[in-house]
């Protein structure tokens, strides 16, 4: 069994940036909903392995208390006019952009990603908060619907908030995943009790702190810290809706538990995402696109590419261009924009990446670039890695690696490429490259994935927040973004007001005569084209 390289005894890499002061950290950790005498847990900085933050640990009783406070606060928040919710969200938008250096420093300190990758999370939250602030009224406002009897039935669809939403967010995108789903839930009139991954809880707490500064009433958004095995049951049992981003295995259990309680759940889970390079692709652009598809956040991105399918006719040229760019990537730890690839986040993730690559090599795969850890740079660094000759008996062939590793394959024709791209239980994201946009879109429509990008890695679909984003198959249920991303946090209610006459016969009209009249009316409506 392969093991991760030993953590070096000498600490390397930069210290914490000046914005991450002890007082600042204490301010954030004090926001956790936990008892004054709570047990504590300490996280470490991926760049160096040194202790980073000390959090109070929430108990199931703390979770129940947070929900109790949230239920009281939610009633007032739901009655708050949409215009006021919009003002708060736009103020939050401005605060995130104005204080982005704090967010970038925190994300890098507790996740290990590059500043460039962290900045994309700031952009994401800016786009999402503005979108829902400006569009919530058209999604949530009363809508007139066609009544049962023309002119006599006045029917209105209303949208009511679910109540208190549980949001469980992961460590890999600590701002995007902590805030984007919460933004929509809050704008819909819900309160939120959130459990971020402890490793990156500082960023989530920072986001919540800014929302309160923007004007969110107290207790509408609360944060708890703890292991799923300890507080997961309380988070599920108290929730009116569950939003989860994480592993497929955990998502299956949450779906089962939500079914037991008859509440809704939205689950964004794992992926083994493909990229198809068609024979007419611009090789240089596709090679650059592949770098951007495979290695952002050290490959710790649910929509990043781990399978690369290249047309046989351009394989050699593409491989040369792609591997050359991969080998030139600058790996390291820096609180600026000077490096291209940062650190993995946890020792467990380094172990997984190491085992997957060593298993593949032992079974005959060839390393075209990378292929090893870099303890000289810090405890959790791993080189961007390109493999070829990967076969189904290798672990990384079908299982998500979630690291800076991609397997490269060739294909005969488009049908072969699509068949192989779809040969997975997952269906989260995909990428297609072609000089012919119409051809690229036609191939994209055949790929089994919730989002497919043409001549882009993932940002085009992810950033199109007016459109739904989510997975098929083992990649999850439900969608974020667009109408789906906010309406899932609501209960639709139909109010129908019947005037004058309904479906039952009036006095002095026999049921038989009434049935004949209604039958004639239905025929007239059909002939008139009434839907």
């Amino acid at each position: 069994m392969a093991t991760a390289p030993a953590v070096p005894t000498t600490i390397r890499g930069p210290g914490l940036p000046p914005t991450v002061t002890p007082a600042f950290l204490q301010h954030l950790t004090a926001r956790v909903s936990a008892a004054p005498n709570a047990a504590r847990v300490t996280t470490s900085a991926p760049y160096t392995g040194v202790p980073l933050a000390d959090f109070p640990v929430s108990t199931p009783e703390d979770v129940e208390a947070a929900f109790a406070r949230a239920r009281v606060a939610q009633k007032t928040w739901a009655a708050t006019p949409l215009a006021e919710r919009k003002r708060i969200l736009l103020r939050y938008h401005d605060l995130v952009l104005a204080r982005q250096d704090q967010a970038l420093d925190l994300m890098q300190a507790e996740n290990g990603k590059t500043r460039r990758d962290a900045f994309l999370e700031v952009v994401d939250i800016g786009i999402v908060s503005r979108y829902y602030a400006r569009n919530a009224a058209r999604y949530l406002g009363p809508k007139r619907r066609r009544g049962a009897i023309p002119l006599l039935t006045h029917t209105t669809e209303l949208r009511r908030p679910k109540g208190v939403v549980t949001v469980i967010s992961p460590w890999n995108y600590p701002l995007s995943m902590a805030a984007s789903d919460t933004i929509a839930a809050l704008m819909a009139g819900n309160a939120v009790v959130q459990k971020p991954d402890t490793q990156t809880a500082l960023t989530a707490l920072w986001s919540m702190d800014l929302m309160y500064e923007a004007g969110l009433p107290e207790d509408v958004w609360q944060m708890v810290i703890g292991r799923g095995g300890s507080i997961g049951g309380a988070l599920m049992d108290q929730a009116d809706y569950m939003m989860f981003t994480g592993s497929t295995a955990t998502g299956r259990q949450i779906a089962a538990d939500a079914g037991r309680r008859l509440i809704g759940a939205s689950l964004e889970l794992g992926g083994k995402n493909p990229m198809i390079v068609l024979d007419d692709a611009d090789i240089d652009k596709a090679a650059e696109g592949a770098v951007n598809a495979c290695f952002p956040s050290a490959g710790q991105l649910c929509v990043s590419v781990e399978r690369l399918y290249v047309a046989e006719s351009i394989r050699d040229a593409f491989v040369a261009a792609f591997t050359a760019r991969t080998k030139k990537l600058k790996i390291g730890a820096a609180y600026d924009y000077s490096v291209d690839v940062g650190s993995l986040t946890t020792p467990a993730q380094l172990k997984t990446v190491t085992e997957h690559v060593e298993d593949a090599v032992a079974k005959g795969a060839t390393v075209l670039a990378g292929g090893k850890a870099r303890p000289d740079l810090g405890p959790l660094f791993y080189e961007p890695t390109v493999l070829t000759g990967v076969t189904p008996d290798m672990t990384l062939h079908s299982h998500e690696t979630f690291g800076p590793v991609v397997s490269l394959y060739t294909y005969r024709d488009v049908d072969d490429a699509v068949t192989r791209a779809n040969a997975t239980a997952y269906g989260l994201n995909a990428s297609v490259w072609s000089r012919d946009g119409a051809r690229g879109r036609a191939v994209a429509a055949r790929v089994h994935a919730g989002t497919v990008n043409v001549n882009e890695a993932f940002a085009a679909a992810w950033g199109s927040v007016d459109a739904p984003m989510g997975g098929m198959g083992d990649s999850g249920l439900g969608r974020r973004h667009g109408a789906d991303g906010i309406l899932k946090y609501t209960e639709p209610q139909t109010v129908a007001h019947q005037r004058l006459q309904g479906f039952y016969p009036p006095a002095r009209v026999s049921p038989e005569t009434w049935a004949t009249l209604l039958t004639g009316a239905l025929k007239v409506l059909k002939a008139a084209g009434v839907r």
Side-chain angles (χ1 to χ4, degrees), residues 18 46 61 65 72 76 111 165 168 171 185 257 260-261 263 269 304 350 369 405 440 443 446 470 500 503 508:
E61 292 74 22
V72 173
T76 301
N111 174 276
V165 174
I168 300 178
W171 49 264
D257 291 341
R260 171 181 55 82
R261 291 204 54 229
I263 64 169
L269 309 177
S304 65
L350 176 61
V405 181
V443 173
R446 298 173 60 189
L500 300 176
F503 283 93
R508 294 184 296 279

Side-chain angles (χ1 to χ4, degrees), residues 1-179:
M1 175 69 70
T3 58
V7 175
T9 56
T10 302
I11 295 172
R12 296 174 175 82
L16 295 179
T19 63
V20 185
T21 64
F24 181 48
L25 296 180
Q26 186 175 12
H27 168 73
L28 293 180
T29 58
R31 278 286 197 182
V32 177
S33 295
N37 61 344
R40 314 289 294 191
V41 61
T42 301
T43 59
S44 299
Y47 282 164
T48 60
V50 300
L52 175 59
D54 178 58
F55 295 95
V57 178
S58 307
T59 64
E61 292 74 22
D62 294 327
V63 173
E64 291 176 6
F67 270 93
R69 294 190 299 270
R71 292 200 185 284
V72 173
Q74 189 269 332
K75 295 184 185 301
T76 301
W77 178 240
T80 301
L82 273 173
E84 175 62 10
R85 294 184 222 162
K86 173 181 176 180
R87 186 196 68 78
I88 292 170
L89 199 50
L90 290 176
R91 171 66 175 151
Y92 167 79
H93 166 281
D94 294 344
L95 288 171
V96 169
L97 296 183
R99 300 197 195 153
Q100 62 180 273
D101 283 345
Q102 278 186 335
L104 297 175
D105 288 345
L106 283 174
M107 281 186 274
Q108 290 194 269
E110 60 182 359
N111 174 276
K113 64 177 60 189
T114 64
R115 205 161 190 84
R116 180 192 65 176
D117 292 330
F119 176 70
L120 291 180
E121 297 198 50
V122 171
V123 173
D124 177 42
I125 294 308
I127 293 172
V128 169
S129 55
R130 185 184 71 248
Y131 175 78
Y132 281 121
R134 295 268 166 81
N135 290 280
R138 70 184 175 98
Y139 290 138
L140 303 175
K143 292 179 176 58
R144 181 74 180 272
R145 298 302 187 190
R146 183 171 289 106
I149 301 177
L151 304 179
L152 299 184
T153 310
H154 182 283
T155 303
T156 306
E157 176 191 328
L158 305 177
R159 288 284 172 171
R160 303 178 63 173
K162 292 281 188 179
V164 182
V165 174
T166 290
V167 175
I168 300 178
S169 53
W171 49 264
N172 62 318
Y173 269 65
L175 180 59
S176 284
M177 297 293 93

Side-chain angles (χ1 to χ4, degrees), residues 105-455:
D105 288 345
L106 283 174
M107 281 186 274
Q108 290 194 269
E110 60 182 359
N111 174 276
K113 64 177 60 189
T114 64
R115 205 161 190 84
R116 180 192 65 176
D117 292 330
F119 176 70
L120 291 180
E121 297 198 50
V122 171
V123 173
D124 177 42
I125 294 308
I127 293 172
V128 169
S129 55
R130 185 184 71 248
Y131 175 78
Y132 281 121
R134 295 268 166 81
N135 290 280
R138 70 184 175 98
Y139 290 138
L140 303 175
K143 292 179 176 58
R144 181 74 180 272
R145 298 302 187 190
R146 183 171 289 106
I149 301 177
L151 304 179
L152 299 184
T153 310
H154 182 283
T155 303
T156 306
E157 176 191 328
L158 305 177
R159 288 284 172 171
R160 303 178 63 173
K162 292 281 188 179
V164 182
V165 174
T166 290
V167 175
I168 300 178
S169 53
W171 49 264
N172 62 318
Y173 269 65
L175 180 59
S176 284
M177 297 293 93
S180 62
D181 296 310
T182 300
I183 285 167
L186 293 175
M187 197 63 198
N190 299 281
V192 170
V193 175
Q194 182 171 8
K195 188 193 91 64
D197 190 281
T198 305
Q199 175 62 35
T200 54
L202 291 173
T203 304
L205 289 161
W206 177 86
S207 179
M208 184 181 76
D209 196 54
L210 252 63
M211 190 69 82
Y212 278 117
E213 185 175 338
L216 186 72
E218 197 65 27
D219 292 332
V220 175
W221 185 2
Q222 296 180 64
M223 206 78 70
V224 294
I225 297 293
R227 297 181 65 84
S230 172
I231 62 174
L235 287 164
M236 171 57 74
D237 290 343
Q238 298 290 325
D240 297 313
Y241 189 89
M242 173 66 75
M243 177 67 222
F244 171 78
T245 304
S247 73
T248 298
T250 302
R252 289 185 189 281
Q253 185 59 57
I254 287 175
D257 291 341
R260 171 181 55 82
R261 291 204 54 229
L262 294 180
I263 64 169
S266 186
L267 314 167
E268 195 214 272
L269 309 177
K272 192 70 176 175
N273 306 306
M275 174 172 163
I276 300 174
V277 183
L278 297 177
D279 56 8
D280 67 338
D282 182 310
I283 290 174
D284 287 334
K285 289 182 179 179
E288 188 65 27
V291 169
N292 294 329
C294 303
F295 306 127
S297 293
Q300 298 171 132
L301 172 60
C302 53
V303 291
S304 65
V305 165
E306 294 193 9
R307 297 181 292 141
L308 190 49
Y309 298 96
V310 183
E312 287 179 347
S313 61
I314 62 169
R315 180 195 185 280
D316 291 346
F318 177 85
V319 168
F322 178 46
T323 55
R325 283 169 170 79
T326 300
K327 291 175 181 179
K328 288 179 181 178
L329 292 172
K330 184 178 179 181
I331 313 167
Y335 287 97
D336 57 30
Y337 291 91
S338 63
V339 298
D340 302 311
V341 179
S343 172
L344 293 167
T345 304
T346 66
Q349 207 55 42
L350 176 61
K351 182 174 184 291
T352 295
V353 172
T354 302
E355 290 179 351
H356 279 203
V357 173
E358 291 187 359
D359 170 76
V361 171
K363 293 174 180 176
T366 300
V367 177
L368 300 180
K372 60 182 184 294
R374 292 293 302 274
D376 56 309
L377 299 174
L380 302 177
F381 285 88
Y382 199 94
E383 292 178 340
T385 299
V386 181
L387 299 173
T388 189
V390 173
T391 54
D393 61 319
M394 301 173 188
T395 303
L396 61 68
H397 178 273
S398 303
H399 292 82
E400 184 178 33
T401 302
F402 216 61
V405 181
V406 61
S407 303
L408 193 149
Y409 310 87
T410 55
Y411 65 86
R412 298 183 308 275
D413 53 36
V414 173
D415 288 344
D416 181 38
V418 171
T419 297
R420 296 172 71 182
N422 289 342
T424 175
Y426 295 110
L428 187 57
N429 182 60
S431 178
V432 177
W433 290 76
S434 171
R435 293 179 189 269
D436 183 340
R439 184 186 184 210
R441 291 192 299 274
V443 173
R446 298 173 60 189
V447 177
H448 183 79
T451 54
V452 186
N453 299 262
V454 177
N455 294 341

Side-chain angles (χ1 to χ4, degrees), residues 455-497:
N455 294 341
E456 223 287 332
F458 51 79
W462 181 273
S464 300
V465 297
D466 193 41
M469 183 273 160
M472 301 177 180
D474 283 4
S475 290
L477 300 170
R479 296 291 185 268
R480 59 168 57 96
H481 295 169
D484 292 23
I486 191 168
L487 293 181
K488 69 185 181 184
Y489 295 122
T490 67
E491 294 284 3
Q493 181 183 47
T494 298
V495 176
H497 172 203

